[in-house]
Amino acid sequence: MSAPDRRREHAELEAEYQRLDTAQGVLFDMVYAAGDTSAAKGFRDNDFESSRTQYAGCKHTEVYAEKSAVWDLLLDYRHGSEMAAKIRAKIAAGRADREQRERSRGIERSR
């Protein structure tokens, strides 16, 4: 890939990451606003607010997955391939540790 193509792709990825970050912020705002409105209503007659919360939750999962994929691609542009590989390895190790702790947390000795 030529240098101008690489710079263009990097700029496109940065723009896409910012777009997804903004979308994620809007979804968070939706949830907070729905929660505030539900609380103001005393958590009664809040079907609309509940639907907004449910919608934002579903869409957040999609946006988070897309944002994570773009972030992973950006690692190489921002840090170089060698450092990006180290970052990915560190994230994978942290994820494995967290999953192990979550699995073991539910197991307790009975007396």
PDB file of all heavy atoms in Angstrom, residues 21-41 43 46 48-57 60:
ATOM      1  N   ASP A  21     -17.820   6.557  18.321  1.00  0.00           N
ATOM      2  CA  ASP A  21     -17.723   7.090  19.678  1.00  0.00           C
ATOM      3  C   ASP A  21     -18.877   8.053  19.955  1.00  0.00           C
ATOM      4  O   ASP A  21     -19.472   8.026  21.036  1.00  0.00           O
ATOM      5  CB  ASP A  21     -16.377   7.791  19.859  1.00  0.00           C
ATOM      6  CG  ASP A  21     -16.086   8.114  21.309  1.00  0.00           C
ATOM      7  OD1 ASP A  21     -16.147   7.199  22.157  1.00  0.00           O
ATOM      8  OD2 ASP A  21     -15.809   9.286  21.599  1.00  0.00           O
ATOM      9  N   THR A  22     -19.213   8.868  18.975  1.00  0.00           N
ATOM     10  CA  THR A  22     -20.346   9.787  19.112  1.00  0.00           C
ATOM     11  C   THR A  22     -21.657   9.013  19.234  1.00  0.00           C
ATOM     12  O   THR A  22     -22.495   9.335  20.085  1.00  0.00           O
ATOM     13  CB  THR A  22     -20.406  10.749  17.909  1.00  0.00           C
ATOM     14  OG1 THR A  22     -19.193  11.506  17.879  1.00  0.00           O
ATOM     15  CG2 THR A  22     -21.596  11.681  18.004  1.00  0.00           C
ATOM     16  N   ALA A  23     -21.815   7.993  18.405  1.00  0.00           N
ATOM     17  CA  ALA A  23     -23.032   7.177  18.470  1.00  0.00           C
ATOM     18  C   ALA A  23     -23.153   6.512  19.840  1.00  0.00           C
ATOM     19  O   ALA A  23     -24.244   6.461  20.425  1.00  0.00           O
ATOM     20  CB  ALA A  23     -23.017   6.112  17.368  1.00  0.00           C
ATOM     21  N   GLN A  24     -22.047   6.023  20.379  1.00  0.00           N
ATOM     22  CA  GLN A  24     -22.064   5.404  21.698  1.00  0.00           C
ATOM     23  C   GLN A  24     -22.463   6.423  22.763  1.00  0.00           C
ATOM     24  O   GLN A  24     -23.251   6.122  23.659  1.00  0.00           O
ATOM     25  CB  GLN A  24     -20.692   4.808  22.002  1.00  0.00           C
ATOM     26  CG  GLN A  24     -20.657   3.959  23.248  1.00  0.00           C
ATOM     27  CD  GLN A  24     -19.290   3.329  23.452  1.00  0.00           C
ATOM     28  OE1 GLN A  24     -18.259   3.938  23.156  1.00  0.00           O
ATOM     29  NE2 GLN A  24     -19.282   2.116  23.957  1.00  0.00           N
ATOM     30  N   GLY A  25     -21.962   7.639  22.649  1.00  0.00           N
ATOM     31  CA  GLY A  25     -22.330   8.701  23.586  1.00  0.00           C
ATOM     32  C   GLY A  25     -23.810   9.032  23.525  1.00  0.00           C
ATOM     33  O   GLY A  25     -24.456   9.243  24.558  1.00  0.00           O
ATOM     34  N   VAL A  26     -24.366   9.061  22.330  1.00  0.00           N
ATOM     35  CA  VAL A  26     -25.804   9.326  22.171  1.00  0.00           C
ATOM     36  C   VAL A  26     -26.619   8.216  22.826  1.00  0.00           C
ATOM     37  O   VAL A  26     -27.625   8.484  23.509  1.00  0.00           O
ATOM     38  CB  VAL A  26     -26.172   9.479  20.677  1.00  0.00           C
ATOM     39  CG1 VAL A  26     -27.681   9.475  20.475  1.00  0.00           C
ATOM     40  CG2 VAL A  26     -25.557  10.743  20.101  1.00  0.00           C
ATOM     41  N   LEU A  27     -26.190   6.980  22.653  1.00  0.00           N
ATOM     42  CA  LEU A  27     -26.922   5.861  23.272  1.00  0.00           C
ATOM     43  C   LEU A  27     -26.862   5.949  24.794  1.00  0.00           C
ATOM     44  O   LEU A  27     -27.862   5.688  25.477  1.00  0.00           O
ATOM     45  CB  LEU A  27     -26.361   4.527  22.776  1.00  0.00           C
ATOM     46  CG  LEU A  27     -26.621   4.236  21.299  1.00  0.00           C
ATOM     47  CD1 LEU A  27     -25.827   3.020  20.852  1.00  0.00           C
ATOM     48  CD2 LEU A  27     -28.102   4.045  21.030  1.00  0.00           C
ATOM     49  N   PHE A  28     -25.709   6.308  25.336  1.00  0.00           N
ATOM     50  CA  PHE A  28     -25.611   6.497  26.786  1.00  0.00           C
ATOM     51  C   PHE A  28     -26.549   7.605  27.249  1.00  0.00           C
ATOM     52  O   PHE A  28     -27.244   7.475  28.260  1.00  0.00           O
ATOM     53  CB  PHE A  28     -24.180   6.827  27.220  1.00  0.00           C
ATOM     54  CG  PHE A  28     -23.245   5.655  27.237  1.00  0.00           C
ATOM     55  CD1 PHE A  28     -21.958   5.788  26.733  1.00  0.00           C
ATOM     56  CD2 PHE A  28     -23.617   4.432  27.766  1.00  0.00           C
ATOM     57  CE1 PHE A  28     -21.078   4.718  26.759  1.00  0.00           C
ATOM     58  CE2 PHE A  28     -22.740   3.353  27.793  1.00  0.00           C
ATOM     59  CZ  PHE A  28     -21.473   3.500  27.281  1.00  0.00           C
ATOM     60  N   ASP A  29     -26.569   8.700  26.493  1.00  0.00           N
ATOM     61  CA  ASP A  29     -27.466   9.812  26.836  1.00  0.00           C
ATOM     62  C   ASP A  29     -28.923   9.368  26.829  1.00  0.00           C
ATOM     63  O   ASP A  29     -29.715   9.787  27.680  1.00  0.00           O
ATOM     64  CB  ASP A  29     -27.270  10.984  25.878  1.00  0.00           C
ATOM     65  CG  ASP A  29     -25.951  11.707  26.079  1.00  0.00           C
ATOM     66  OD1 ASP A  29     -25.293  11.474  27.121  1.00  0.00           O
ATOM     67  OD2 ASP A  29     -25.580  12.508  25.191  1.00  0.00           O
ATOM     68  N   MET A  30     -29.299   8.517  25.858  1.00  0.00           N
ATOM     69  CA  MET A  30     -30.674   8.009  25.785  1.00  0.00           C
ATOM     70  C   MET A  30     -31.031   7.238  27.057  1.00  0.00           C
ATOM     71  O   MET A  30     -32.123   7.404  27.616  1.00  0.00           O
ATOM     72  CB  MET A  30     -30.856   7.089  24.573  1.00  0.00           C
ATOM     73  CG  MET A  30     -30.991   7.802  23.258  1.00  0.00           C
ATOM     74  SD  MET A  30     -31.085   6.644  21.858  1.00  0.00           S
ATOM     75  CE  MET A  30     -32.621   5.809  22.190  1.00  0.00           C
ATOM     76  N   VAL A  31     -30.104   6.394  27.486  1.00  0.00           N
ATOM     77  CA  VAL A  31     -30.365   5.585  28.678  1.00  0.00           C
ATOM     78  C   VAL A  31     -30.501   6.474  29.914  1.00  0.00           C
ATOM     79  O   VAL A  31     -31.425   6.297  30.720  1.00  0.00           O
ATOM     80  CB  VAL A  31     -29.251   4.524  28.883  1.00  0.00           C
ATOM     81  CG1 VAL A  31     -29.357   3.858  30.239  1.00  0.00           C
ATOM     82  CG2 VAL A  31     -29.307   3.493  27.766  1.00  0.00           C
ATOM     83  N   TYR A  32     -29.589   7.430  30.055  1.00  0.00           N
ATOM     84  CA  TYR A  32     -29.654   8.323  31.219  1.00  0.00           C
ATOM     85  C   TYR A  32     -30.927   9.157  31.210  1.00  0.00           C
ATOM     86  O   TYR A  32     -31.574   9.330  32.247  1.00  0.00           O
ATOM     87  CB  TYR A  32     -28.427   9.234  31.283  1.00  0.00           C
ATOM     88  CG  TYR A  32     -27.128   8.493  31.508  1.00  0.00           C
ATOM     89  CD1 TYR A  32     -25.989   8.827  30.802  1.00  0.00           C
ATOM     90  CD2 TYR A  32     -27.040   7.441  32.418  1.00  0.00           C
ATOM     91  CE1 TYR A  32     -24.796   8.151  30.997  1.00  0.00           C
ATOM     92  CE2 TYR A  32     -25.862   6.760  32.614  1.00  0.00           C
ATOM     93  CZ  TYR A  32     -24.737   7.119  31.902  1.00  0.00           C
ATOM     94  OH  TYR A  32     -23.559   6.441  32.105  1.00  0.00           O
ATOM     95  N   ALA A  33     -31.302   9.673  30.050  1.00  0.00           N
ATOM     96  CA  ALA A  33     -32.518  10.482  29.952  1.00  0.00           C
ATOM     97  C   ALA A  33     -33.754   9.642  30.254  1.00  0.00           C
ATOM     98  O   ALA A  33     -34.664  10.089  30.970  1.00  0.00           O
ATOM     99  CB  ALA A  33     -32.631  11.112  28.568  1.00  0.00           C
ATOM    100  N   ALA A  34     -33.788   8.425  29.748  1.00  0.00           N
ATOM    101  CA  ALA A  34     -34.931   7.541  30.017  1.00  0.00           C
ATOM    102  C   ALA A  34     -35.001   7.210  31.504  1.00  0.00           C
ATOM    103  O   ALA A  34     -36.083   7.179  32.094  1.00  0.00           O
ATOM    104  CB  ALA A  34     -34.823   6.264  29.187  1.00  0.00           C
ATOM    105  N   GLY A  35     -33.856   6.982  32.120  1.00  0.00           N
ATOM    106  CA  GLY A  35     -33.830   6.695  33.558  1.00  0.00           C
ATOM    107  C   GLY A  35     -34.292   7.880  34.379  1.00  0.00           C
ATOM    108  O   GLY A  35     -35.076   7.724  35.332  1.00  0.00           O
ATOM    109  N   ASP A  36     -33.835   9.062  34.015  1.00  0.00           N
ATOM    110  CA  ASP A  36     -34.250  10.273  34.730  1.00  0.00           C
ATOM    111  C   ASP A  36     -35.752  10.508  34.588  1.00  0.00           C
ATOM    112  O   ASP A  36     -36.426  10.865  35.558  1.00  0.00           O
ATOM    113  CB  ASP A  36     -33.485  11.495  34.216  1.00  0.00           C
ATOM    114  CG  ASP A  36     -32.013  11.473  34.593  1.00  0.00           C
ATOM    115  OD1 ASP A  36     -31.631  10.660  35.469  1.00  0.00           O
ATOM    116  OD2 ASP A  36     -31.248  12.272  34.001  1.00  0.00           O
ATOM    117  N   THR A  37     -36.266  10.308  33.379  1.00  0.00           N
ATOM    118  CA  THR A  37     -37.696  10.506  33.149  1.00  0.00           C
ATOM    119  C   THR A  37     -38.511   9.464  33.911  1.00  0.00           C
ATOM    120  O   THR A  37     -39.545   9.793  34.506  1.00  0.00           O
ATOM    121  CB  THR A  37     -38.015  10.448  31.644  1.00  0.00           C
ATOM    122  OG1 THR A  37     -37.226  11.429  30.964  1.00  0.00           O
ATOM    123  CG2 THR A  37     -39.480  10.707  31.377  1.00  0.00           C
ATOM    124  N   SER A  38     -38.051   8.220  33.897  1.00  0.00           N
ATOM    125  CA  SER A  38     -38.748   7.165  34.645  1.00  0.00           C
ATOM    126  C   SER A  38     -38.776   7.494  36.134  1.00  0.00           C
ATOM    127  O   SER A  38     -39.801   7.314  36.795  1.00  0.00           O
ATOM    128  CB  SER A  38     -38.067   5.812  34.435  1.00  0.00           C
ATOM    129  OG  SER A  38     -38.270   5.347  33.134  1.00  0.00           O
ATOM    130  N   ALA A  39     -37.658   7.956  36.651  1.00  0.00           N
ATOM    131  CA  ALA A  39     -37.596   8.314  38.070  1.00  0.00           C
ATOM    132  C   ALA A  39     -38.545   9.467  38.373  1.00  0.00           C
ATOM    133  O   ALA A  39     -39.234   9.458  39.404  1.00  0.00           O
ATOM    134  CB  ALA A  39     -36.168   8.679  38.459  1.00  0.00           C
ATOM    135  N   ALA A  40     -38.592  10.449  37.480  1.00  0.00           N
ATOM    136  CA  ALA A  40     -39.493  11.593  37.685  1.00  0.00           C
ATOM    137  C   ALA A  40     -40.957  11.147  37.672  1.00  0.00           C
ATOM    138  O   ALA A  40     -41.793  11.750  38.350  1.00  0.00           O
ATOM    139  CB  ALA A  40     -39.258  12.643  36.610  1.00  0.00           C
ATOM    140  N   LYS A  41     -41.248  10.083  36.938  1.00  0.00           N
ATOM    141  CA  LYS A  41     -42.613   9.552  36.881  1.00  0.00           C
ATOM    142  C   LYS A  41     -42.874   8.567  38.020  1.00  0.00           C
ATOM    143  O   LYS A  41     -43.945   7.961  38.072  1.00  0.00           O
ATOM    144  CB  LYS A  41     -42.854   8.822  35.556  1.00  0.00           C
ATOM    145  CG  LYS A  41     -42.926   9.705  34.345  1.00  0.00           C
ATOM    146  CD  LYS A  41     -43.191   8.839  33.116  1.00  0.00           C
ATOM    147  CE  LYS A  41     -43.450   9.647  31.881  1.00  0.00           C
ATOM    148  NZ  LYS A  41     -43.746   8.757  30.734  1.00  0.00           N
ATOM    149  N   PHE A  43     -41.408   5.756  38.324  1.00  0.00           N
ATOM    150  CA  PHE A  43     -41.286   4.446  37.692  1.00  0.00           C
ATOM    151  C   PHE A  43     -42.649   3.828  37.380  1.00  0.00           C
ATOM    152  O   PHE A  43     -42.812   2.614  37.374  1.00  0.00           O
ATOM    153  CB  PHE A  43     -40.413   3.505  38.543  1.00  0.00           C
ATOM    154  CG  PHE A  43     -39.027   4.036  38.721  1.00  0.00           C
ATOM    155  CD1 PHE A  43     -38.660   4.694  39.882  1.00  0.00           C
ATOM    156  CD2 PHE A  43     -38.087   3.924  37.703  1.00  0.00           C
ATOM    157  CE1 PHE A  43     -37.385   5.219  40.042  1.00  0.00           C
ATOM    158  CE2 PHE A  43     -36.810   4.445  37.849  1.00  0.00           C
ATOM    159  CZ  PHE A  43     -36.453   5.090  39.018  1.00  0.00           C
ATOM    160  N   ASN A  46     -44.082   4.041  32.432  1.00  0.00           N
ATOM    161  CA  ASN A  46     -42.824   4.376  31.764  1.00  0.00           C
ATOM    162  C   ASN A  46     -42.478   3.378  30.651  1.00  0.00           C
ATOM    163  O   ASN A  46     -41.323   3.068  30.416  1.00  0.00           O
ATOM    164  CB  ASN A  46     -41.687   4.474  32.776  1.00  0.00           C
ATOM    165  CG  ASN A  46     -41.402   3.163  33.462  1.00  0.00           C
ATOM    166  OD1 ASN A  46     -42.194   2.244  33.390  1.00  0.00           O
ATOM    167  ND2 ASN A  46     -40.262   3.071  34.119  1.00  0.00           N
ATOM    168  N   PHE A  48     -42.611   3.799  27.425  1.00  0.00           N
ATOM    169  CA  PHE A  48     -41.790   4.418  26.390  1.00  0.00           C
ATOM    170  C   PHE A  48     -40.336   4.490  26.838  1.00  0.00           C
ATOM    171  O   PHE A  48     -39.421   4.144  26.077  1.00  0.00           O
ATOM    172  CB  PHE A  48     -42.302   5.826  26.047  1.00  0.00           C
ATOM    173  CG  PHE A  48     -41.445   6.517  25.033  1.00  0.00           C
ATOM    174  CD1 PHE A  48     -41.523   6.177  23.695  1.00  0.00           C
ATOM    175  CD2 PHE A  48     -40.533   7.491  25.418  1.00  0.00           C
ATOM    176  CE1 PHE A  48     -40.716   6.797  22.750  1.00  0.00           C
ATOM    177  CE2 PHE A  48     -39.729   8.120  24.488  1.00  0.00           C
ATOM    178  CZ  PHE A  48     -39.815   7.772  23.146  1.00  0.00           C
ATOM    179  N   GLU A  49     -40.115   4.903  28.058  1.00  0.00           N
ATOM    180  CA  GLU A  49     -38.752   5.023  28.564  1.00  0.00           C
ATOM    181  C   GLU A  49     -38.072   3.660  28.615  1.00  0.00           C
ATOM    182  O   GLU A  49     -36.894   3.524  28.291  1.00  0.00           O
ATOM    183  CB  GLU A  49     -38.743   5.683  29.952  1.00  0.00           C
ATOM    184  CG  GLU A  49     -39.071   7.156  29.938  1.00  0.00           C
ATOM    185  CD  GLU A  49     -40.568   7.466  29.779  1.00  0.00           C
ATOM    186  OE1 GLU A  49     -41.408   6.548  29.904  1.00  0.00           O
ATOM    187  OE2 GLU A  49     -40.888   8.632  29.511  1.00  0.00           O
ATOM    188  N   SER A  50     -38.830   2.644  29.006  1.00  0.00           N
ATOM    189  CA  SER A  50     -38.272   1.284  29.033  1.00  0.00           C
ATOM    190  C   SER A  50     -37.901   0.819  27.627  1.00  0.00           C
ATOM    191  O   SER A  50     -36.871   0.169  27.432  1.00  0.00           O
ATOM    192  CB  SER A  50     -39.273   0.311  29.652  1.00  0.00           C
ATOM    193  OG  SER A  50     -39.467   0.610  31.010  1.00  0.00           O
ATOM    194  N   SER A  51     -38.739   1.165  26.652  1.00  0.00           N
ATOM    195  CA  SER A  51     -38.427   0.774  25.271  1.00  0.00           C
ATOM    196  C   SER A  51     -37.171   1.488  24.771  1.00  0.00           C
ATOM    197  O   SER A  51     -36.383   0.911  24.029  1.00  0.00           O
ATOM    198  CB  SER A  51     -39.608   1.056  24.341  1.00  0.00           C
ATOM    199  OG  SER A  51     -39.766   2.441  24.111  1.00  0.00           O
ATOM    200  N   ARG A  52     -36.973   2.738  25.176  1.00  0.00           N
ATOM    201  CA  ARG A  52     -35.766   3.473  24.782  1.00  0.00           C
ATOM    202  C   ARG A  52     -34.529   2.828  25.402  1.00  0.00           C
ATOM    203  O   ARG A  52     -33.488   2.702  24.758  1.00  0.00           O
ATOM    204  CB  ARG A  52     -35.827   4.947  25.221  1.00  0.00           C
ATOM    205  CG  ARG A  52     -36.864   5.790  24.548  1.00  0.00           C
ATOM    206  CD  ARG A  52     -36.666   5.921  23.052  1.00  0.00           C
ATOM    207  NE  ARG A  52     -37.372   4.834  22.385  1.00  0.00           N
ATOM    208  CZ  ARG A  52     -37.214   4.435  21.131  1.00  0.00           C
ATOM    209  NH1 ARG A  52     -36.363   5.019  20.364  1.00  0.00           N
ATOM    210  NH2 ARG A  52     -37.887   3.440  20.622  1.00  0.00           N
ATOM    211  N   THR A  53     -34.644   2.431  26.655  1.00  0.00           N
ATOM    212  CA  THR A  53     -33.522   1.780  27.328  1.00  0.00           C
ATOM    213  C   THR A  53     -33.189   0.459  26.647  1.00  0.00           C
ATOM    214  O   THR A  53     -32.013   0.149  26.420  1.00  0.00           O
ATOM    215  CB  THR A  53     -33.847   1.559  28.814  1.00  0.00           C
ATOM    216  OG1 THR A  53     -34.106   2.827  29.422  1.00  0.00           O
ATOM    217  CG2 THR A  53     -32.719   0.869  29.544  1.00  0.00           C
ATOM    218  N   GLN A  54     -34.215  -0.311  26.309  1.00  0.00           N
ATOM    219  CA  GLN A  54     -34.003  -1.591  25.651  1.00  0.00           C
ATOM    220  C   GLN A  54     -33.381  -1.386  24.260  1.00  0.00           C
ATOM    221  O   GLN A  54     -32.434  -2.077  23.886  1.00  0.00           O
ATOM    222  CB  GLN A  54     -35.320  -2.344  25.531  1.00  0.00           C
ATOM    223  CG  GLN A  54     -35.174  -3.742  25.004  1.00  0.00           C
ATOM    224  CD  GLN A  54     -36.498  -4.487  25.004  1.00  0.00           C
ATOM    225  OE1 GLN A  54     -37.560  -3.894  25.134  1.00  0.00           O
ATOM    226  NE2 GLN A  54     -36.426  -5.787  24.843  1.00  0.00           N
ATOM    227  N   TYR A  55     -33.888  -0.420  23.518  1.00  0.00           N
ATOM    228  CA  TYR A  55     -33.343  -0.119  22.191  1.00  0.00           C
ATOM    229  C   TYR A  55     -31.876   0.283  22.289  1.00  0.00           C
ATOM    230  O   TYR A  55     -31.033  -0.216  21.539  1.00  0.00           O
ATOM    231  CB  TYR A  55     -34.154   1.006  21.532  1.00  0.00           C
ATOM    232  CG  TYR A  55     -33.578   1.488  20.229  1.00  0.00           C
ATOM    233  CD1 TYR A  55     -33.814   0.788  19.054  1.00  0.00           C
ATOM    234  CD2 TYR A  55     -32.765   2.619  20.187  1.00  0.00           C
ATOM    235  CE1 TYR A  55     -33.266   1.215  17.853  1.00  0.00           C
ATOM    236  CE2 TYR A  55     -32.212   3.055  18.993  1.00  0.00           C
ATOM    237  CZ  TYR A  55     -32.466   2.356  17.831  1.00  0.00           C
ATOM    238  OH  TYR A  55     -31.914   2.779  16.645  1.00  0.00           O
ATOM    239  N   ALA A  56     -31.578   1.183  23.210  1.00  0.00           N
ATOM    240  CA  ALA A  56     -30.199   1.658  23.363  1.00  0.00           C
ATOM    241  C   ALA A  56     -29.276   0.507  23.757  1.00  0.00           C
ATOM    242  O   ALA A  56     -28.138   0.433  23.285  1.00  0.00           O
ATOM    243  CB  ALA A  56     -30.136   2.774  24.396  1.00  0.00           C
ATOM    244  N   GLY A  57     -29.763  -0.395  24.591  1.00  0.00           N
ATOM    245  CA  GLY A  57     -28.949  -1.550  24.986  1.00  0.00           C
ATOM    246  C   GLY A  57     -28.612  -2.450  23.815  1.00  0.00           C
ATOM    247  O   GLY A  57     -27.463  -2.887  23.657  1.00  0.00           O
ATOM    248  N   HIS A  60     -26.267  -0.524  21.486  1.00  0.00           N
ATOM    249  CA  HIS A  60     -24.948  -0.337  22.095  1.00  0.00           C
ATOM    250  C   HIS A  60     -24.067  -1.554  21.843  1.00  0.00           C
ATOM    251  O   HIS A  60     -22.870  -1.417  21.579  1.00  0.00           O
ATOM    252  CB  HIS A  60     -25.056  -0.067  23.596  1.00  0.00           C
ATOM    253  CG  HIS A  60     -23.719   0.101  24.236  1.00  0.00           C
ATOM    254  ND1 HIS A  60     -23.070  -0.930  24.860  1.00  0.00           N
ATOM    255  CD2 HIS A  60     -22.893   1.171  24.296  1.00  0.00           C
ATOM    256  CE1 HIS A  60     -21.899  -0.511  25.286  1.00  0.00           C
ATOM    257  NE2 HIS A  60     -21.773   0.762  24.967  1.00  0.00           N
TER     258      HIS A  60
END
